[in-house]
């Protein structure tokens, strides 16, 4: 019987992480996280409709340091999923599929999600008059 | 089992109307969400620290109301489709898979409807 090592599909425990595979799984992770994050959106909208104490509670939670930290993570997940989603849409029409292009677009996705996250927070804090 | 029956079954699974529609709707909602998410984040950044009156006034603006309604529908539909793919990839017990996908659909519907009602309540009470 042939006992040579045959190629197997990636065995995640021993698979060397690469930019492409890491960004791919990150797309899923951020997608699932954002789905869970919709709870915050729903809570905010309902509280705004109810008014009074309900809205004050949301403001208090979101304004706390842990709330701000979570919102920061949520905003990065949103921008990452948005940018990498655009990358996926280009792949869907057959553009940028070769390896150098995939790496280039990968780095563009990382840097633009960081820049967009920081810009939106700078904008938010300047609206509050903090910056 | 004859080859004919087998190939028919395979094609039936891979190219059924629903999986093609699923793929397309996921992309269409993705494209639509690009400008809408940017608009939403910009609005939230603008509204940071605003009191409830200002937030309600923003939501009552007819343009905002329509955009928010579209955003809510797209977000929850896109999330449901995405979570379904994740479940299909990782859950292999048939009944758990079906139950999880159904649960996600129910949750997305409940959360989406609640959001829509909240927005409409604010917009119509304005």
């Amino acid at each position: 019987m042939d006992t040579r090592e045959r190629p197997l599909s990636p065995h995640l425990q021993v698979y060397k992480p690469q930019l492409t595979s890491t960004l791919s799984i990150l797309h899923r992770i951020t997608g699932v996280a954002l789905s869970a994050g919709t709870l915050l959106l729903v809570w905010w909208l309902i509280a705004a409709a109810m008014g009074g104490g309900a809205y004050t509670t949301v403001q208090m939670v979101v304004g706390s340091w842990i709330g701000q930290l979570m919102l920061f993570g949520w905003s990065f997940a949103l921008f990452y999923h948005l940018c990498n989603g655009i990358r996926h849409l280009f792949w869907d029409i057959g553009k940028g599929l070769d390896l150098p292009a995939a790496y280039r677009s990968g780095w563009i996705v990382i840097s633009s999600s960081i820049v967009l996250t920081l810009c939106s927070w700078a904008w938010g804090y300047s609206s509050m008059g903090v910056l | 089992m004859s080859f004919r029956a087998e190939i028919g079954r395979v094609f039936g699974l891979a190219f059924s109307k629903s999986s093609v529609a699923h793929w397309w709707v996921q992309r269409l909602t993705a494209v639509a969400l690009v400008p809408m998410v940017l608009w939403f984040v910009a609005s939230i950044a603008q509204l940071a620290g605003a009191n409830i009156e200002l937030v309600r006034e923003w939501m009552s603006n007819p343009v905002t109301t329509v955009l928010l309604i579209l955003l809510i529908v797209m977000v929850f539909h896109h999330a449901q489709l995405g979570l379904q793919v994740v479940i299909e990839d990782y859950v292999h017990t048939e009944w758990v898979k079906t139950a999880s996908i159904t649960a996600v659909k129910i949750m997305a519907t409940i959360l989406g409807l609640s959001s829509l009602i909240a927005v409409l309540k604010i917009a119509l009470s304005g």
Side-chain angles (χ1 to χ4, degrees):
Chain A
M1 212 175 101
D2 192 357
T3 53
R4 273 182 307 160
E5 289 286 300
R6 285 176 302 166
L8 293 168
S9 59
H11 218 283
L12 290 181
Q13 289 82 2
V14 295
Y15 191 69
K16 182 170 172 264
Q18 295 151 38
L19 180 74
T20 42
S21 61
T22 308
L23 294 190
S24 171
I25 193 63
L26 201 57
H27 194 69
R28 284 215 152 168
I29 293 170
T30 52
V32 173
L34 287 168
S35 305
T38 56
L39 289 174
L40 176 66
L41 175 71
V42 179
W43 186 32
W44 178 63
L45 290 172
I46 292 175
M50 284 168 59
Y55 198 76
T56 319
T57 310
V58 176
Q59 277 186 313
M60 228 173 63
V61 173
V62 174
S64 69
W65 71 267
I66 185 113
Q68 291 282 287
L69 195 68
M70 283 178 73
L71 198 64
F72 187 82
W74 193 76
S75 64
F76 177 75
L78 185 64
F79 281 126
Y80 175 78
H81 198 84
L82 181 88
C83 294
N84 201 51
I86 294 172
R87 185 167 169 243
H88 269 281
L89 289 170
F90 274 103
W91 285 338
D92 287 338
I93 54 168
K95 295 216 186 295
L97 283 167
D98 59 292
L99 215 47
Y103 271 86
R104 205 166 357 149
S105 59
W107 286 115
I108 294 173
V109 163
I110 294 172
S111 42
S112 37
S113 10
I114 292 171
V115 169
L116 283 167
T117 306
L118 294 178
C119 283
S120 64
W121 279 81
W123 189 353
Y125 275 118
S126 74
S127 311
M128 292 198 298
V130 180
L131 280 182
Chain B
M1 199 182 293
S2 79
F3 175 73
R4 239 181 115 84
E6 190 63 8
I7 201 94
R9 198 179 65 85
V10 169
F11 271 79
L13 286 175
F15 303 109
S16 68
K17 215 176 195 172
S18 68
S19 56
V20 173
H22 182 289
W23 192 91
W24 266 110
V25 176
Q26 199 171 9
R27 267 84 193 157
L28 289 175
T29 50
V31 172
L33 277 168
V34 173
M36 277 199 270
V37 163
L38 291 174
W39 162 78
F40 182 71
V41 175
S43 308
I44 295 301
Q46 194 72 50
L47 281 169
N51 57 24
I52 189 165
E53 285 75 27
L54 212 66
V55 172
R56 281 185 175 172
E57 197 186 303
W58 171 70
M59 286 184 195
S60 310
N61 180 304
V63 178
T64 313
T65 309
V66 171
L67 286 175
L68 273 179
I69 289 170
L70 287 173
L71 179 81
I72 290 163
V73 172
M74 301 282 173
V75 159
F76 284 101
H77 199 38
H78 188 80
Q80 183 266 312
L81 293 170
L83 289 175
Q84 183 179 338
V85 173
V86 174
I87 292 167
E88 282 168 351
D89 281 353
Y90 301 128
V91 180
H92 300 302
T93 316
E94 206 53 47
W95 75 268
V96 181
K97 186 194 284 184
T98 314
S100 315
I101 292 171
T102 311
V104 163
K105 280 183 182 165
I106 293 170
M107 277 301 284
T109 310
I110 292 173
L111 293 175
L113 271 180
S114 313
S115 311
L116 287 178
I117 291 168
V119 169
L120 285 174
K121 184 171 181 282
I122 295 166
L124 300 175
S125 68

